[in-house]
Amino acid sequence: MPSPGRLRRALAGAATSAVAGASMAIGLPAVAGADSGAVAVAPAPKPAVVSAADATREAQLVATEDNRLHTLLSTMNHKSGKHAPTGPQVQQQGLTLTIVLPPRAAAYSLDDLKAAAPNLIQDLPDGRVLLTASVLVAPGARLTISPSRPLTLLLQSGQDGFVSIVGWGGRIDFTGTRTAPITIASWD
């Protein structure tokens, strides 16, 4: 499990990317002509200059997100035996919604997320998918997104926060190919 400090640094980068409107393509094969499912990341655009006030606000958002995730995991860890969740759970903290994926033998998919929270994951008319709630992949759980066609996953962001996909002790696999790449971008 990553340390809280390491998670904060990872989320800080994610928050900066979300606020800056950066996007990245995932899943292009590393070898030309191969369809191995290897992951390549497109070079990120040059970061925007961030003012000291914006940097402070972003750091506050990341610290709030870190505390929120820790609270969600603590709450989940207190449920055991017959009360332990066996599938995706939508948890609300204030106005923030999170789809929590508890451990299970099979990996969760994008379809599992849509089934658990159809009003929080929207298929847009242009084929993109909008995620309006965060996803927390708990220890022992696995989320695999492996599309059969090109996929653009939009993570909602705004002045008051951002949507995140976090594996805190869990595993996240984005498996794209040359013919079905995955693009992840922020969406305001």
Side-chain angles (χ1 to χ4, degrees):
M1 178 179 338
S3 69
R6 187 175 194 186
L7 178 64
R8 276 191 290 278
R9 287 188 297 277
L11 286 172
T16 301
S17 295
V19 172
S23 66
M24 73 179 163
I26 300 175
L28 297 176
V31 179
D35 197 21
S36 65
V39 175
V41 177
K46 187 172 183 168
V49 175
V50 178
S51 70
D54 285 344
T56 299
R57 175 73 177 134
E58 288 177 16
Q60 290 170 341
L61 288 171
V62 170
T64 300
E65 177 75 349
D66 190 25
N67 290 331
R68 188 180 72 76
L69 294 171
H70 181 71
T71 301
L72 281 170
L73 282 175
S74 295
T75 301
M76 189 183 88
N77 288 337
H78 284 45
K79 297 176 182 177
S80 60
K82 66 180 180 176
H83 300 292
T86 58
Q89 304 287 311
V90 177
Q91 301 289 328
Q92 184 168 0
Q93 290 178 313
L95 298 175
T96 304
L97 295 170
T98 303
I99 305 166
V100 179
L101 304 179
R104 72 175 191 189
Y108 293 96
S109 68
L110 187 56
D111 289 337
D112 292 326
L113 296 178
K114 288 178 182 179
N119 56 330
L120 301 176
I121 301 172
Q122 304 166 16
D123 288 315
L124 301 177
D126 62 4
R128 298 179 300 168
V129 176
L130 174 61
L131 185 60
T132 61
S134 290
V135 176
L136 174 58
V137 185
R142 182 176 176 183
L143 172 63
T144 299
I145 299 188
S146 184
S148 59
R149 62 175 180 79
L151 171 67
T152 297
L153 186 60
L154 302 173
L155 306 181
Q156 188 174 29
S157 66
Q159 293 286 3
D160 296 328
F162 54 91
V163 165
S164 62
I165 299 174
V166 176
W168 194 323
R171 181 173 169 176
I172 301 170
D173 295 319
F174 290 99
T175 308
T177 65
R178 180 177 298 282
T179 58
I182 298 170
T183 303
I184 299 173
S186 65
W187 184 81
D188 295 326

